[in-house]
Amino acid sequence: MGKFEITTRKNGDYQFNLKAGNGQVILSSQGYNAKAACENGIESVKKNATDDNRYDRLESSNGKPYFNLKASNGQVIGSSEMYESVASMENGIESVKKNAPDATIADLTT
Protein backbone atom coordinates (compact mmCIF):
# COMPACT_ATOMS: atom_id res chain seq x y z
CA MET A 1 0.00 0.00 0.00
CA GLY A 2 1.20 3.51 -0.81
CA LYS A 3 2.01 6.22 1.68
CA PHE A 4 2.29 10.00 1.55
CA GLU A 5 5.05 11.43 3.73
CA ILE A 6 4.94 15.10 4.70
CA THR A 7 8.37 16.57 5.43
CA THR A 8 9.92 19.99 5.89
CA ARG A 9 12.55 21.41 3.55
CA LYS A 10 15.62 23.29 4.77
CA ASN A 11 13.88 26.59 3.92
CA GLY A 12 10.90 25.68 6.12
CA ASP A 13 8.54 24.78 3.27
CA TYR A 14 6.44 21.64 3.50
CA GLN A 15 6.47 18.98 0.80
CA PHE A 16 5.12 15.49 0.31
CA ASN A 17 6.42 12.37 -1.33
CA LEU A 18 4.19 9.51 -2.43
CA LYS A 19 5.92 6.21 -1.81
CA ALA A 20 4.94 2.87 -3.27
CA GLY A 21 4.56 -0.19 -1.07
CA ASN A 22 8.25 -0.99 -1.57
CA GLY A 23 9.26 2.41 -0.16
CA GLN A 24 10.30 3.94 -3.48
CA VAL A 25 9.31 7.57 -4.07
CA ILE A 26 7.00 7.70 -7.10
CA LEU A 27 5.78 11.31 -6.89
CA SER A 28 7.13 14.46 -5.22
CA SER A 29 5.41 17.77 -4.61
CA GLN A 30 6.51 21.35 -4.88
CA GLY A 31 7.23 23.29 -1.70
CA TYR A 32 4.30 24.71 0.27
CA ASN A 33 4.65 27.44 2.89
CA ALA A 34 1.74 26.07 4.95
CA LYS A 35 1.10 22.50 6.06
CA ALA A 36 -2.61 22.88 5.23
CA ALA A 37 -1.71 23.71 1.61
CA CYS A 38 0.52 20.63 1.50
CA GLU A 39 -2.35 18.49 2.82
CA ASN A 40 -4.64 19.97 0.15
CA GLY A 41 -2.04 18.95 -2.44
CA ILE A 42 -2.18 15.37 -1.17
CA GLU A 43 -5.98 15.37 -1.44
CA SER A 44 -5.68 16.69 -5.00
CA VAL A 45 -3.26 13.88 -5.89
CA LYS A 46 -5.67 11.31 -4.44
CA LYS A 47 -8.54 12.81 -6.47
CA ASN A 48 -6.67 13.18 -9.78
CA ALA A 49 -4.33 10.18 -9.76
CA THR A 50 -6.66 7.76 -11.56
CA ASP A 51 -7.35 10.12 -14.50
CA ASP A 52 -4.82 9.41 -17.25
CA ASN A 53 -5.54 12.81 -18.84
CA ARG A 54 -4.00 14.50 -15.78
CA TYR A 55 -0.52 13.16 -16.59
CA ASP A 56 1.92 15.14 -18.71
CA ARG A 57 4.51 12.80 -20.16
CA LEU A 58 7.67 14.83 -20.67
CA GLU A 59 11.34 14.54 -21.54
CA SER A 60 14.12 16.28 -19.62
CA SER A 61 16.92 18.23 -21.27
CA ASN A 62 19.16 15.15 -21.00
CA GLY A 63 16.55 13.00 -22.78
CA LYS A 64 15.19 11.14 -19.77
CA PRO A 65 11.42 10.67 -19.55
CA TYR A 66 9.44 11.88 -16.54
CA PHE A 67 5.88 12.97 -15.78
CA ASN A 68 3.91 15.64 -13.97
CA LEU A 69 0.50 15.09 -12.42
CA LYS A 70 -1.80 18.07 -12.83
CA ALA A 71 -4.97 19.14 -11.04
CA SER A 72 -8.15 19.97 -12.94
CA ASN A 73 -7.04 23.64 -13.05
CA GLY A 74 -3.83 22.67 -14.85
CA GLN A 75 -1.53 23.27 -11.87
CA VAL A 76 1.24 20.71 -11.34
CA ILE A 77 0.67 18.88 -8.05
CA GLY A 78 3.46 16.33 -8.31
CA SER A 79 6.45 15.30 -10.40
CA SER A 80 8.19 11.99 -10.90
CA GLU A 81 11.84 11.09 -10.88
CA MET A 82 13.77 10.85 -14.16
CA TYR A 83 13.39 7.42 -15.74
CA GLU A 84 15.73 5.44 -17.98
CA SER A 85 12.96 4.52 -20.43
CA VAL A 86 9.44 5.46 -21.48
CA ALA A 87 8.28 2.01 -20.34
CA SER A 88 9.67 2.67 -16.84
CA MET A 89 7.91 6.05 -16.78
CA GLU A 90 4.60 4.42 -17.75
CA ASN A 91 5.10 1.91 -14.92
CA GLY A 92 5.62 4.87 -12.59
CA ILE A 93 2.34 6.42 -13.72
CA GLU A 94 0.53 3.12 -13.16
CA SER A 95 2.07 2.93 -9.70
CA VAL A 96 0.77 6.41 -8.80
CA LYS A 97 -2.69 5.46 -10.11
CA LYS A 98 -2.66 2.32 -7.98
CA ASN A 99 -1.10 3.70 -4.79
CA ALA A 100 -2.35 7.29 -4.42
CA PRO A 101 -6.14 6.93 -3.96
CA ASP A 102 -5.95 4.86 -0.76
CA ALA A 103 -2.52 5.91 0.49
CA THR A 104 -2.09 6.71 4.16
CA ILE A 105 -0.52 9.99 5.29
CA ALA A 106 2.51 10.12 7.59
CA ASP A 107 3.37 13.55 9.00
CA LEU A 108 7.12 13.55 9.63
CA THR A 109 7.34 17.26 10.47
CA THR A 110 6.89 16.95 14.22
Side-chain angles (χ1 to χ4, degrees):
M1 174 184 288
K3 175 171 68 172
F4 287 98
E5 290 184 346
I6 300 174
T7 56
T8 314
R9 294 181 173 181
K10 287 188 176 87
N11 67 359
D13 281 357
Y14 295 92
Q15 74 171 46
F16 64 80
N17 288 317
L18 173 60
K19 292 186 171 184
N22 63 5
Q24 183 178 0
V25 174
I26 51 177
L27 193 72
S28 297
S29 75
Q30 63 189 31
Y32 297 93
N33 52 16
K35 189 187 289 188
C38 186
E39 291 166 341
N40 287 342
I42 290 171
E43 290 307 313
S44 186
V45 170
K46 287 183 168 202
K47 189 169 67 176
N48 291 288
T50 57
D51 185 346
D52 195 65
N53 294 321
R54 299 275 188 250
Y55 292 89
D56 275 348
R57 292 155 170 88
L58 304 163
E59 188 175 289
S60 67
S61 56
N62 64 359
K64 293 193 183 273
Y66 71 102
F67 63 86
N68 287 331
L69 175 61
K70 290 184 164 183
S72 55
N73 65 2
Q75 184 177 355
V76 174
I77 48 178
S79 299
S80 73
E81 65 181 358
M82 301 296 160
Y83 292 96
E84 293 301 318
S85 68
V86 170
S88 294
M89 177 192 67
E90 291 296 335
N91 286 340
I93 290 171
E94 290 307 311
S95 186
V96 171
K97 287 178 180 177
K98 185 179 98 183
N99 285 284
D102 301 315
T104 58
I105 300 173
D107 185 344
L108 307 180
T109 63
T110 52

